[in-house]
């Protein structure tokens, strides 16, 4: 069968760099760090006392009080990002087939704060089983997709993907595949996370996965730098509207880029560490390029997973060189996590947006906080350190790799 073409017709986000797409992209191009002291709880007893929180967030700006109380913040962020993307897509809801419009939304963890609050309440009440009736509907990771579909009456496929830090990339790929197979016309897809909580920070501290650079939070996320000491947690959400090309053209939609292809692999190596030679990362990029019917030299920009962890940064750069060979040194590459922090299950979506905006605007977002390159990393690669640059981007690839060995790569290209 002939596969349908898939395009991006709407974008939305809320994160540490901004409460919408324009604020986020403006700060990303300026190289702004979203990190700062944790305000969600008293972090003074924790090894890490900073994160990339959504700043100046007032839920009652977006939700009535009774509604806000029924929604964990990961769902609030999902609805806010999706709402911006839907408005950006400018749908006439009277003219689209809502049975062929769906929602695939990701979260790596779901309602972690809700779970923590209910357990604390249970213990404080001498283990009396008096749980909030909204406990389960607030906590479960699929509930954000449910809320979004209810809000817009999207009656097509509706579910969640959970694959740690690759979650929202998997959601985007699933939406793409269903559209190109002719199963749907439109998807709201992306991811959201609210894990900068006592349990989230404490858990990642116990794993020694996150930075403890409390004296200088804004430079703590320093991918590929010899002084990196772990990733910086981030909160927020990011949404994309994927749409079948002819459907978008017929309604006169604004098109940001074409979704060209996606790849998915498993490391089958370790629950938290990447394959040291970047085996899974190599294979997933090659699969995405093949799926997009492109050659490696057609890619102009790679948004790296680039978490600022010791093993991950080295393995990923090895994989880039294996995949792109000599072209690796002509690529622009960067890690926008140096600015947004690591949004866990939402990271694939926010970095897909960064890749799309690089194509649309001809600007490469930087990898900030570079002081001294790790000697184990090839210094001839163009990491776009500390300052954005102008460059035409015909096609961009974005990587996400999750605990458990889950790998996903997505490719967007200019519409031709």
């Amino acid at each position: 069968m002939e596969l349908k073409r898939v395009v991006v017709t709407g974008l939305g986000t809320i994160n540490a760099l901004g409460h919408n797409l324009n604020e986020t992209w403006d700060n990303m191009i300026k190289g702004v760090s979203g990190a700062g002291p944790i305000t969600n709880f008293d972090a003074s007893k924790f090894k890490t006392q900073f994160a990339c929180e959504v700043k100046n967030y007032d839920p009652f700006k977006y939700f009535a009080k009774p509604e806000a109380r029924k929604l964990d913040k990961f769902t609030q962020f999902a609805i806010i990002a999706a709402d911006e993307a839907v408005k950006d897509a400018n749908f006439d809801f009277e003219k689209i087939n809502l049975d062929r419009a769906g929602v695939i939304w990701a979260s790596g963890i779901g309602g972690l704060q809700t779970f923590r609050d209910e357990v604390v309440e249970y213990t404080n009440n001498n283990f009396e089983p008096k749980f909030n009736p909204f406990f389960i509907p607030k906590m479960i990771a699929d509930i954000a997709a449910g809320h979004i579909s209810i809000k817009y009456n999207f009656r097509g496929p509706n579910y969640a993907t959970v694959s740690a830090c690759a979650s929202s990339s998997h959601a985007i790929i699933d939406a793409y595949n269903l559209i190109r197979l002719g199963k749907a016309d439109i998807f709201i897809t992306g991811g959201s996370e609210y894990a900068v909580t006592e349990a989230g920070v404490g858990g990642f501290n116990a794993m020694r996965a996150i930075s403890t650079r409390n004296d200088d939070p804004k430079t703590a996320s320093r991918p590929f730098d010899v002084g990196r000491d772990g990733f910086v947690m981030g909160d927020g959400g990011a949404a994309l509207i994927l749409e079948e090309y002819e459907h978008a053209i017929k309604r006169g939609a604004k098109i940001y880029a074409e979704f060209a292809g996606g790849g998915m692999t498993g490391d089958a190596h370790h629950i938290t560490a990447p394959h040291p030679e970047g085996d899974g990362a190599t294979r997933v990029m090659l699969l995405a390029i093949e799926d997009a019917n492109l050659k490696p030299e057609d890619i102009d920009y790679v948004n790296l997973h680039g978490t600022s962890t010791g093993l991950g940064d080295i393995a990923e750069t090895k994989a880039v060189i294996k995949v792109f060979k000599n072209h690796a040194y002509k690529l622009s590459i960067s890690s926008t996590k140096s600015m947004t922090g690591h949004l866990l299950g939402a990271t694939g979506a926010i970095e897909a947006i960064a890749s799309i905006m690089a194509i649309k605007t001809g600007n490469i977002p930087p990898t900030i906080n570079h002081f001294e390159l790790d000697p184990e990393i090839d210094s001839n690669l163009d990491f776009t350190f500390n300052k954005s640059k102008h460059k035409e981007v015909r096609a961009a690839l974005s990587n996400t790799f999750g605990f458990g060995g889950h790998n996903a790569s997505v490719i967007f290209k200019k519409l031709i």
Side-chain angles (χ1 to χ4, degrees):
M1 64 178 292
E2 184 179 350
L3 296 175
K4 307 284 187 179
R5 295 173 70 185
V6 181
V7 293
V8 181
T9 57
L11 299 173
T13 185
I14 181 169
N15 60 82
L17 295 184
H19 288 207
N20 56 55
L21 174 65
N22 289 338
E23 285 180 8
T24 298
W25 183 243
D26 185 55
N27 283 325
M28 201 174 273
I29 290 302
K30 289 177 180 175
V32 174
S33 170
I38 290 171
T39 61
N40 293 336
F41 63 93
D42 180 3
S44 60
K45 294 182 180 179
F46 288 76
K47 293 176 183 177
T48 296
Q49 299 166 11
F50 63 92
C52 288
E53 297 174 310
V54 175
K55 296 169 180 60
N56 303 312
Y57 177 65
D58 177 6
F60 306 125
K61 177 182 175 183
Y62 303 95
F63 307 98
K65 286 187 179 181
E67 184 183 11
R69 294 192 185 102
K70 298 174 185 177
L71 303 171
D72 188 275
K73 278 190 183 175
F74 96 94
T75 300
Q76 294 179 21
F77 294 154
I79 294 169
I80 292 165
D83 190 53
E84 183 186 8
V86 168
K87 289 175 180 174
D88 190 32
N90 195 30
F91 292 121
D92 182 344
F93 287 93
E94 298 296 322
K95 295 183 179 180
I96 62 176
N97 184 348
L98 297 172
D99 291 339
R100 291 181 57 81
V103 182
I104 305 176
W105 197 264
S107 183
I109 300 176
L112 187 60
Q113 182 67 42
T114 294
F115 190 90
R116 177 263 180 206
D117 290 347
E118 290 294 319
V119 171
V120 168
E121 188 71 16
Y122 177 55
T123 55
N124 286 344
N125 287 330
N126 297 314
F127 302 99
E128 286 292 321
K130 297 178 181 178
F131 288 91
N132 189 311
F134 292 102
F135 172 29
I136 301 301
K138 283 178 69 174
M139 178 197 69
I140 51 179
D142 67 296
I143 203 67
H147 277 290
I148 293 168
S149 75
I150 291 166
K151 180 170 183 177
Y152 299 107
N153 198 24
F154 277 19
R155 300 189 296 261
N158 175 231
Y159 61 93
T161 54
V162 180
S163 50
C165 307
S167 297
S168 52
S169 292
H170 280 134
I172 294 166
I173 292 170
D174 277 6
Y176 159 66
N177 281 331
L178 286 169
I179 293 173
R180 69 172 174 165
L181 289 170
K183 305 294 185 182
D185 300 323
I186 298 164
F187 271 102
I188 303 171
T189 186
S192 57
E193 207 79 83
Y194 177 64
V196 181
T197 65
E198 290 154 301
V201 173
F204 282 116
N205 269 159
M207 295 174 64
R208 299 181 180 179
I210 55 177
S211 173
T212 57
R213 200 179 297 276
N214 296 311
D215 59 336
D216 194 8
K218 289 193 178 298
T219 70
S221 182
R222 46 180 74 184
F224 319 109
D225 195 89
V226 71
R228 68 193 183 280
D229 70 330
F231 71 84
V232 175
M233 294 179 69
D235 285 333
L240 293 75
I241 305 297
L242 296 190
E243 190 168 351
E244 193 272 321
Y245 170 73
E246 295 293 345
H247 188 276
I249 292 295
K250 185 177 180 180
R251 70 178 187 87
K254 170 184 63 183
I255 295 175
Y256 283 95
E258 182 170 0
F259 191 114
M264 300 178 281
T265 64
D267 273 357
H269 171 69
H270 190 273
I271 59 170
T272 57
H275 189 283
E277 298 302 315
D279 172 70
T282 300
R283 289 184 292 109
V284 79
M285 285 187 276
L286 288 171
L287 285 173
I289 292 167
E290 179 184 14
D291 189 48
N293 197 28
L294 296 174
K295 301 183 291 295
E297 52 268 30
D298 294 325
I299 307 296
D300 295 310
Y301 170 58
V302 177
N303 190 296
L304 299 169
H305 189 55
T307 54
S308 187
T309 55
L311 297 176
D313 289 3
I314 294 170
E316 186 174 13
T317 52
K318 286 181 179 179
V320 166
I321 293 167
K322 288 179 182 177
V323 169
F324 293 97
K325 300 181 172 59
N326 288 336
H327 184 63
Y329 304 103
K330 299 177 183 178
L331 286 170
S332 290
I333 60 180
S334 68
S335 170
T336 48
K337 285 185 182 71
S338 59
M339 296 175 282
T340 64
H342 192 342
L343 274 66
L344 307 179
T347 202
I350 186 65
E351 289 159 18
I353 287 177
S355 302
I356 291 163
M357 292 301 290
I359 293 170
K360 179 176 172 58
T361 68
N363 287 299
I364 306 295
T367 305
I368 66 169
N369 301 327
H370 173 64
F371 301 95
E372 181 183 353
L373 188 68
D374 186 327
E376 292 191 54
I377 293 174
D378 194 327
S379 62
N380 293 309
L381 294 170
D382 176 13
F383 290 97
T384 324
F385 280 133
N386 296 327
K387 188 177 180 180
S388 65
K389 63 188 288 186
H390 295 289
K391 178 179 181 177
E392 181 185 7
V393 180
R394 299 165 300 167
L397 181 150
S398 181
N399 286 331
T400 45
F401 313 134
F403 285 171
H406 313 299
N407 308 309
S409 293
V410 296
I411 297 176
F412 301 91
K413 67 179 183 179
K414 278 189 174 180
L415 186 66
I416 299 174

